[in-house]
Amino acid sequence: MRVIFMGTPDFSVPVLEALAEHHEVVAVYTQPPRPAGRGKSLRPSPVQARAEALGLEVRHPVNFKAAEDREALAALGADIGVVVAYGLLLPQAVLDGPKLGCLNIHASLLPRWRGAAPIHRAVMAGDAETGICIMQMEAGLDTGPVRLRERLAIGATETTGEVHDRLSAMGARLIIEALDRLPELPPEVQPEEGVTYASKIDKAEAQVDWARPATEIVRQINGLSPFPGAWCLVGEERVKLLRADLGAGEAAPGTVLGGFEIACGTGSVQVLQAQRAGKKPMLAAEVLKGLSLPDRL
C-alpha cells in the first residue's frame, strides 16, 4: 500500500519502521523541530530523525488550515494514512485525503482513556490492563470505530515507561496485521458507556503527598515514571521517585519506617527506585548510601 505516516515522539518510531519495511511510505508528517537542550537549538522530532535516516520525505505543516497543505497531501495519491501520536487534530478534509481514510494507533482500550495521555492515566488509575486499538479516524477526539484491538496486562510495579515501550512494539505489529486484513475487519462502533478522558499530565501532579493512601501514591510514582517523575523533598533536596510498591508498615504520614519505606495516610510505600538531582536513576538501596533520610518526610 501507499501509506502516509503521521507521528512525532519515540512511541511512533517502531510503527514508522514497520510500515517502511512492509509498505511504501510516500510521506512522513511530523511536528516541526523544537528548541531543546541548554543552547535551545532546534531539534527534530524522533520521527523526523528516523524518517530522514530511512530516506523518506518529511513534511511538518503547522496545521492544515491552508488549502495548499491539504491539496499537497491529497496529491500524494495514498491508499491510507496511519496516525500515531502526531500532535494535531486532523480536519475531515485531511482524513478523507487517502483512498481508505486514516487509521489511528491509540494506546488504550477505547472508549477508556481517549485523549493525550492514555498510558500515564491507565497506570495512575491502577488499571489491570490496557492495550492498543487500531481505530478508523473521524473528526472527533478518538471517537472513531475500532478495526482491531489487543489487550496488555499491567504489572503491579510496572512504570508508564515500560508499558509505553511494550505498547509501541504492539502497535507496530498490529498496524501491519490491520493493513493486511483490512477488508475483513468490520468497524466496531465504540459504546457510549465507559468513556473516560486522558488529560495531559500537569507537572503540578508530581509532588507526593504522604497523607494520601499508599495505593494512590504507588500508582502516582509508577504512573509518572520516567517523566515527569513523582518527587518528594528530603530536607531541601528534590528527589525523584521512579518505582514503588506497597509496604507493610503503618505510622503517621511521612514517617520513615526503615530503608526507603514511608508511611502514608493509610498503609505505606516502599520506594524501589529513585533519582537524586544531577544523578542517574538508581535502586533505592544505592540511593540511600549517599542520602540520609530524616525520621519524617
Side-chain angles (χ1 to χ4, degrees):
M1 282 191 180
R2 289 174 58 82
V3 178
I4 293 170
F5 180 76
M6 296 182 171
T8 296
D10 288 320
F11 186 85
S12 310
V13 171
V15 178
L16 172 60
E17 292 173 335
L19 289 170
E21 181 179 351
H22 294 274
H23 294 276
E24 181 186 359
V25 179
V26 294
V28 173
Y29 285 77
T30 188
Q31 290 291 298
R34 308 290 191 197
R38 292 184 178 180
K40 297 299 181 183
S41 58
L42 292 179
R43 181 180 298 173
S45 73
V47 161
Q48 178 172 343
R50 188 64 184 125
E52 290 175 345
L54 292 169
L56 301 173
E57 179 186 353
V58 175
R59 301 178 179 183
H60 31 69
V62 175
N63 53 49
F64 286 94
K65 292 181 180 179
E68 54 264 34
D69 288 333
R70 298 193 299 271
E71 291 166 1
L73 184 145
L76 291 167
D79 296 306
I80 201 160
V82 173
V83 183
V84 51
Y86 178 33
L88 281 180
L89 280 175
L90 300 177
Q92 194 63 48
V94 171
L95 299 179
D96 293 339
K99 297 173 187 175
L100 300 174
C102 292
L103 296 178
N104 176 250
I105 302 171
H106 189 75
S108 81
L109 297 174
L110 293 167
R112 185 163 177 80
W113 301 130
R114 294 174 179 171
I119 306 175
H120 287 86
R121 295 302 175 190
V123 178
M124 292 175 74
D127 290 0
E129 63 178 5
T130 183
I132 288 289
C133 283
I134 307 296
M135 179 190 72
Q136 190 78 44
M137 295 183 71
E138 56 185 34
L141 179 62
D142 300 328
T143 57
V146 174
R147 306 296 292 268
L148 186 65
R149 70 172 66 217
E150 187 170 311
R151 298 175 180 272
L152 180 78
I154 300 175
T157 63
E158 196 167 14
T159 66
T160 283
E162 291 165 335
V163 177
H164 167 285
D165 292 349
R166 293 205 290 147
L167 287 177
S168 178
M170 179 184 286
R173 174 172 54 80
L174 282 187
I175 192 60
I176 300 305
E177 179 183 347
L179 293 179
D180 288 345
R181 299 175 52 206
L182 198 59
E184 65 184 76
L185 297 175
E188 170 197 319
V189 177
Q190 293 185 40
E192 295 181 5
E193 301 79 24
V195 174
T196 58
Y197 290 93
S199 57
K200 288 184 179 180
I201 298 298
D202 191 321
K203 290 185 178 180
E205 299 178 71
Q207 184 172 8
V208 172
D209 177 3
W210 299 111
R212 293 170 59 199
T215 52
E216 293 182 9
I217 295 176
V218 167
R219 295 169 184 173
Q220 176 190 17
I221 291 171
N222 295 335
L224 296 179
S225 176
F227 181 83
W231 60 272
C232 70
L233 288 175
V234 178
E236 295 184 357
E237 181 180 349
R238 181 184 291 199
V239 178
K240 277 190 177 183
L241 310 177
L242 298 175
R243 191 190 304 273
D245 200 356
L246 292 174
E250 195 84 47
T255 301
V256 178
L257 300 173
F260 218 138
E261 183 180 358
I262 314 298
C264 306
T266 55
S268 66
V269 166
Q270 183 71 57
V271 177
L272 304 175
Q273 188 178 19
Q275 182 179 11
R276 299 183 67 184
K279 306 287 186 180
K280 294 181 179 179
M282 298 180 185
L283 295 176
E286 293 298 314
V287 173
L288 293 178
K289 288 180 180 179
L291 179 68
S292 178
L293 297 184
D295 293 337
R296 190 166 179 176
L297 296 180

